[in-house]
Amino acid sequence: MKGNQYAVIGLGRFGSSLAKELVKLGYEVLGVDINEEAVEEMSQTLTHVVVADSTDEEVLKSLGVRNFDCAVVAIGDDIQSSILTAILLKDLGVKSVVAKALSDLHGKVLEKIGVDRIIFPERDMGIRVAHQLVSPNLLDY
Ligand code: ATP
């Protein structure tokens, strides 16, 4: 296991794919989701999984998320949950908070909260594919 520990909050398509890849790369990953089925699906793959509501400060404290090097907020549709979770993680002192945004406005709010890195999955992937199309040798853009 490598040093860094990651918490991935929201195990939808984006969060679960990201979490699995981090495990493949040799990192410890805690997966959190409010949905029991989503958690059950990842229980054999991730280092730890928990069914919990990430908008509950006490829950985040009890999971010890402040000790993680990086927490990824992979909640999109429920903008309120995304924003509340991100602000709690920042307040708890997580070193690096990454969050996915579904719209420019969502991204702006996350930026104001102080989220360290904002990902726009569809937009970022569109840019990436365009670069790969014009430079097929550039596999890892
Ligand atoms: P994807 O495209 O990655 O599947 P999505 O944007 O369609 O994601 P969302 O509904 O935004 O899906 O949420 C992703 C995951 O986050 C879901 O599995 C959902 O249960 C979880 N989630 C939503 N709110 C919370 C919360 N308050 N606490 C923990 N997990 C949550």
Side-chain angles (χ1 to χ4, degrees), residues 10-14 33-35 52-55 74-77 81 100:
L11 298 172
R13 287 168 303 171
F14 175 75
D33 202 291
I34 201 166
N35 180 309
D53 180 353
S54 58
T55 64
I75 302 170
D77 282 345
S81 286
K100 107 172 176 176

Side-chain angles (χ1 to χ4, degrees), residues 46-79:
L46 306 185
T47 323
H48 304 286
V49 285
V50 180
V51 180
D53 180 353
S54 58
T55 64
D56 183 334
E57 187 173 9
E58 292 310 313
V59 164
L60 293 180
K61 277 188 188 160
S62 71
L63 291 173
V65 289
R66 72 176 57 178
N67 302 316
F68 283 70
D69 303 285
C70 175
V72 182
V73 184
I75 302 170
D77 282 345
D78 185 348
I79 292 190

Side-chain angles (χ1 to χ4, degrees), residues 34-46:
I34 201 166
N35 180 309
E36 213 167 302
E37 274 172 34
V39 169
E40 177 58 33
E41 228 166 84
M42 296 299 286
S43 63
Q44 302 299 313
T45 314
L46 306 185

Side-chain angles (χ1 to χ4, degrees), residues 72-106:
V72 182
V73 184
I75 302 170
D77 282 345
D78 185 348
I79 292 190
Q80 181 169 323
S81 286
S82 155
I83 292 166
L84 293 179
T85 302
I87 201 163
L88 288 174
L89 292 168
K90 285 304 293 181
D91 276 1
L92 286 171
V94 177
K95 266 184 242 153
S96 171
V97 177
V98 176
K100 107 172 176 176
L102 290 194
S103 66
D104 285 346
L105 195 54
H106 184 186

